[in-house]
Amino acid sequence: ALFISVQGLAAGGDVELESADIDPDNISSLQRGARNFMNYCSGCHSAQYVRFNTIGKYLELSEEQLVDNLMFNAEKTFETIQASMPAEDAARWYGTAPPDMSLMARAKGADYIFNFLKGFYLDADSPTGVDNSVLAGTSMPHVLWQLQGYQRAVIEEHTVDGVASHKIVGFEHVTTGSLDPEDYDDCVRDTVNFLAYISEPIRSERRKLSVWVLMYLIVFWVIAVMLKKQIWKDVK
């Protein structure tokens, strides 16, 4: 569900991004996010820098749960997440192969992806029937339309020095999805949370370790100061 074209990675537009408000330490959220990614995203997107057993360990999933619920196109838990769709076919159908999502949250930021997944709107001129407020001209279809429904963009037009411009200021639902707007936001938030986790699986361990390192440095600094005073106490 995250077909962000490589050509558009540097393009964020002038859209004001809503905070994703994720919590990478929320295991329940990460479990739901992993489910969402494997069900809606892994058909087109890989995450080749993270292994299933790494995910299972941090998300507190047994090997049986991992195999039954997440490993749809893998046989061994040490394998990485590979897209089900061949890259050559995706490139032929969409114009470019969907990017690997392992580091997307670090490259673009959680807020960007959160707003991207909320920003699809109907556009009759688009080959997919939709465009996106965050990444105009995206090749990705709105694969979450059954959850969100379809919406149209509310556009505000301005004219400055004879030059007309327009800005998307909101959306109006045309059809409803299976989730109400708040539940859809939560679904997207969980998915983005999982992407933020896989972009840096050792984040929590790194932060815990950094506390011990800082404590060690503080203790060492105190000892060093006391030792300096002891050595130089007779020097006038």
Side-chain angles (χ1 to χ4, degrees), residues 39-207:
N39 279 309
Y40 295 104
C41 309
S42 65
C44 298
H45 293 279
S46 62
Q48 60 184 346
Y49 299 129
V50 62
R51 300 182 185 277
F52 283 104
N53 52 11
T54 300
I55 294 172
K57 180 179 179 180
Y58 188 78
L59 270 59
E60 301 176 0
L61 300 173
S62 67
E63 183 171 332
E64 182 179 1
Q65 290 174 316
L66 197 62
V67 172
D68 291 343
N69 297 286
L70 297 183
M71 294 176 57
F72 303 144
N73 59 354
E75 297 182 357
K76 304 295 183 181
T77 58
F78 59 76
E79 294 181 31
T80 61
I81 300 176
Q82 300 295 326
S84 299
M85 180 186 298
E88 297 79 7
D89 292 341
R92 185 172 68 254
W93 294 334
Y94 298 113
T96 181
D100 181 85
M101 298 306 297
S102 304
L103 301 176
M104 187 60 71
R106 296 187 68 178
K108 300 300 296 178
D111 293 349
Y112 181 96
I113 301 175
F114 180 72
N115 285 269
F116 176 83
L117 291 177
K118 291 179 57 178
F120 285 95
Y121 62 91
L122 291 171
D123 182 358
D125 296 327
S126 170
T128 62
V130 294
D131 203 345
N132 192 278
S133 60
V134 176
L135 182 59
T138 180
S139 301
M140 176 179 164
H142 187 14
V143 296
L144 300 180
W145 68 270
Q146 290 180 309
L147 303 181
Q148 186 189 28
Y150 283 114
Q151 57 189 4
R152 72 175 185 85
V154 177
I155 298 176
E156 191 175 87
E157 296 185 354
H158 299 276
T159 301
V160 179
D161 297 330
V163 179
S165 64
H166 66 274
K167 179 180 181 181
I168 297 175
V169 296
F171 301 100
E172 292 181 352
H173 269 88
V174 177
T175 63
T176 58
S178 60
L179 301 178
D180 61 39
E182 290 185 1
D183 289 338
Y184 181 74
D185 284 1
D186 289 339
C187 175
V188 171
R189 185 172 291 109
D190 291 336
T191 307
V192 175
N193 199 21
F194 176 72
L195 290 174
Y197 157 68
I198 64 173
S199 70
E200 191 180 6
I202 64 169
R203 170 185 174 275
S204 293
E205 293 182 14
R206 174 176 58 78
R207 290 193 171 191

